[in-house]
Amino acid sequence: MIVKVCGMREPDNIRSVDSLPIQWMGFIFYPPSKRYVSSVPSFMPQRAKRVGVFVDASIDFIKERSEIFCLDMIQLHGQETVHTCDLVRSATGCGIIKAFGVNDDVCWDDIHRYDGHADYLLFDTYCATAGGSGKAFDHSLLRGYKGKTPFLLSGGLGLDNMHDIHLLHHPLMVGVDINSKFEIAPAVKSTEKIQEFLDLLQI
């Protein structure tokens, strides 16, 4: 299973988290975020894949960040269209993750249109503002997802809801995205808590 630790920025913390058996590490390039990364940290992950998180950013900005930070994947966390996904892939050569907020009003047909245009989807808790809410959504809603694109589960995942994660048996769920519930401070993660999470996840 893919484990993505998002919202990283501090060099020593990046080094420590990169030593854990995680697969992806996320860097947020959305200026309003308290985890915004404005310049390249002095240490970047050597083992985990680098994922850049953008919210309705210009193609030029995404391309620039992908080159400067040597990104492997681009996560689009705004209102980006299918066409935008294609443009970003063409401009950067990176894999594409398209994020969606999930609530009772989710329109799965709209999400299914991204099949063939994103390598992965990410299902997060819906909130009115861009970015994560730190809260979990009703995972039973994912029964409505009938697309072909594999997805990562996000939204308030932590040690307190491991049971809910284990109960989710969707054939296209390939990973989890963790962030705020493992923080000591904005953009600083507890490696001890992450390792405990990995152990409980049976990685």
Side-chain angles (χ1 to χ4, degrees):
M1 179 176 284
I2 297 167
V3 175
K4 172 174 172 271
V5 179
C6 200
M8 300 296 293
R9 183 177 59 215
E10 305 305 321
D12 289 344
N13 196 227
I14 292 170
R15 187 189 302 273
S16 296
V17 173
D18 191 45
S19 70
L20 300 175
I22 67 164
Q23 287 68 44
W24 297 352
M25 192 178 295
F27 299 88
I28 297 175
F29 300 110
Y30 179 56
S33 172
K34 59 186 176 182
R35 303 175 185 93
Y36 175 62
V37 182
S38 60
S39 59
V40 181
S42 58
F43 182 88
M44 287 291 285
Q46 305 300 303
R47 190 186 55 77
K49 288 188 176 181
R50 305 174 184 186
V51 181
V53 180
F54 300 86
V55 179
D56 297 318
S58 70
I59 302 297
D60 287 344
F61 180 70
I62 296 173
K63 185 174 187 295
E64 176 194 52
R65 296 289 98 175
S66 72
E67 292 173 351
I68 292 174
F69 285 77
C70 299
L71 300 178
D72 300 293
M73 308 282 290
I74 303 294
Q75 179 176 316
L76 301 173
H77 213 96
Q79 302 301 313
E80 297 89 359
T81 64
V82 165
H83 181 56
T84 300
C85 291
D86 293 342
L87 289 176
V88 171
R89 187 196 302 278
S90 177
T92 65
C94 294
I96 303 297
I97 307 165
K98 181 67 186 82
F100 294 95
V102 177
N103 63 6
D104 291 338
D105 297 323
V106 63
C107 180
W108 293 112
D109 286 343
D110 288 344
I111 294 174
H112 295 158
R113 295 191 183 103
Y114 286 78
D115 283 343
H117 302 277
D119 298 284
Y120 299 90
L121 304 181
L122 184 144
F123 294 136
D124 199 353
T125 305
Y126 176 84
C127 57
T129 57
S133 66
K135 298 179 181 179
F137 64 91
D138 180 1
H139 296 163
S140 70
L141 294 170
L142 293 174
R143 289 196 292 263
Y145 176 59
K146 308 294 184 184
K148 300 177 182 178
T149 307
F151 70 86
L152 279 74
L153 179 68
S154 186
L157 303 183
L159 296 172
D160 59 340
N161 53 18
M162 293 299 303
H163 181 67
D164 294 335
I165 298 171
H166 284 301
L167 286 178
L168 181 54
H169 300 291
H170 194 292
L172 288 176
M173 178 180 161
V174 295
V176 293
D177 179 297
I178 61 176
N179 190 345
S180 61
K181 287 200 172 182
F182 295 86
E183 286 194 329
I184 303 166
V188 179
K189 305 297 188 292
S190 165
T191 54
E192 291 80 9
K193 284 187 176 181
I194 294 173
Q195 184 60 65
E196 185 178 355
F197 179 85
L198 296 174
D199 291 342
L200 292 171
L201 199 61
Q202 297 180 340
I203 296 299

